[in-house]
Amino acid sequence: AELPAFMKELRARGGTTARCLELLILTATRSIEARGARWEEFDLKEGVWTIPAERMKGKLDKRKPHRVALSPEAIKVVKGMEGLHPELVFPSPRNKVLSDMSFKSVFKHMKRDNITAHGFRSTFTDWASEGGVFEPELVERALAHVEKDQVRKAYARSDLLERRVPLMNAYSAFSYGRKQNTSAETAA
């Protein structure tokens, strides 16, 4: 419930780290996925961010690329970073991948020492679960969680990207405190 106020405060902050955190929140990605984002991974016309397998969590031989549905707001965050670095979307002041401590610094300056970047993945899950409109399977795919049931995994080959677009758009609207359309028609 506190996310819209947090996002308003975060949007008022300048800097690469604040924008990276904003994208992390809007996409429910992990810290290293957002901090290591590269221009080649984004298709902004299609609204898709494809994180390569080697940058995903998990056993090396089991990793797969993860496609992330980008809301218009997420696309705007990424476009706002154009021209800073030829490869990295969110370069550090030393033109490297942002440190894993960079978000902690933002939280400290915002006087929000009680939160973590990873906690926003939980916020996303709670929001989706409490709304009861979006299927848990879509939420799990958005989070890039691996199906543990081997039979289901064998048959579930699609990443359901098209069906995740309304989910991510509604979450983005919620994040910025706008009225969201989460009707069953939108979620289907």
Side-chain angles (χ1 to χ4, degrees), residues 18-53:
R19 295 298 69 78
C20 184
L21 181 58
E22 189 175 2
L23 183 70
L24 174 146
I25 293 167
L26 294 173
T27 57
T29 51
R30 295 177 180 90
S31 173
I32 189 58
E33 295 163 2
R35 290 183 293 110
R38 298 182 170 277
W39 289 110
E40 66 199 33
E41 299 170 358
F42 289 87
D43 182 339
L44 298 177
K45 285 184 181 176
E46 294 296 319
V48 177
W49 172 19
T50 304
I51 304 169

Side-chain angles (χ1 to χ4, degrees), residues 53-54 56 58-64:
E54 59 270 12
M56 294 302 297
K59 294 180 181 179
L60 289 175
D61 61 335
K62 304 279 186 191
R63 295 180 188 180
K64 293 181 181 179

Side-chain angles (χ1 to χ4, degrees), residues 4-161:
F6 178 85
M7 288 294 274
K8 183 176 181 179
E9 187 179 344
L10 181 64
R11 291 272 320 160
R13 297 193 67 77
T16 303
T17 304
R19 295 298 69 78
C20 184
L21 181 58
E22 189 175 2
L23 183 70
L24 174 146
I25 293 167
L26 294 173
T27 57
T29 51
R30 295 177 180 90
S31 173
I32 189 58
E33 295 163 2
R35 290 183 293 110
R38 298 182 170 277
W39 289 110
E40 66 199 33
E41 299 170 358
F42 289 87
D43 182 339
L44 298 177
K45 285 184 181 176
E46 294 296 319
V48 177
W49 172 19
T50 304
I51 304 169
E54 59 270 12
R55 291 202 325 100
M56 294 302 297
K57 180 181 175 182
K59 294 180 181 179
L60 289 175
D61 61 335
K62 304 279 186 191
R63 295 180 188 180
K64 293 181 181 179
H66 176 57
R67 293 193 308 162
V68 179
L70 298 172
S71 67
E73 292 83 1
I75 292 170
K76 185 177 177 182
V77 170
V78 174
K79 283 184 175 181
M81 303 309 296
E82 289 177 336
L84 290 182
H85 192 276
E87 295 173 18
L88 298 172
V89 177
F90 304 103
S92 74
R94 294 190 175 117
N95 285 320
K96 295 182 180 184
V97 172
L98 287 169
S99 159
D100 60 349
M101 299 301 287
S102 58
F103 295 140
K104 285 186 179 187
S105 177
V106 171
F107 297 142
K108 184 177 179 180
H109 284 94
M110 294 175 75
K111 296 182 180 21
R112 303 281 189 125
D113 293 338
N114 61 334
I115 57 177
T116 64
H118 194 77
F120 288 106
R121 288 169 58 83
S122 178
T123 299
F124 170 73
T125 303
D126 290 345
W127 167 83
S129 298
E130 289 173 2
V133 175
F134 297 101
E135 299 168 52
E137 183 177 18
L138 296 178
V139 175
E140 291 300 304
R141 297 287 172 91
L143 293 167
H145 284 164
V146 177
E147 174 65 58
K148 294 191 187 334
D149 182 313
Q150 295 304 310
V151 174
R152 283 183 52 102
K153 185 177 181 179
Y155 287 97
R157 296 186 185 153
S158 171
D159 66 1
L160 306 174
L161 182 71

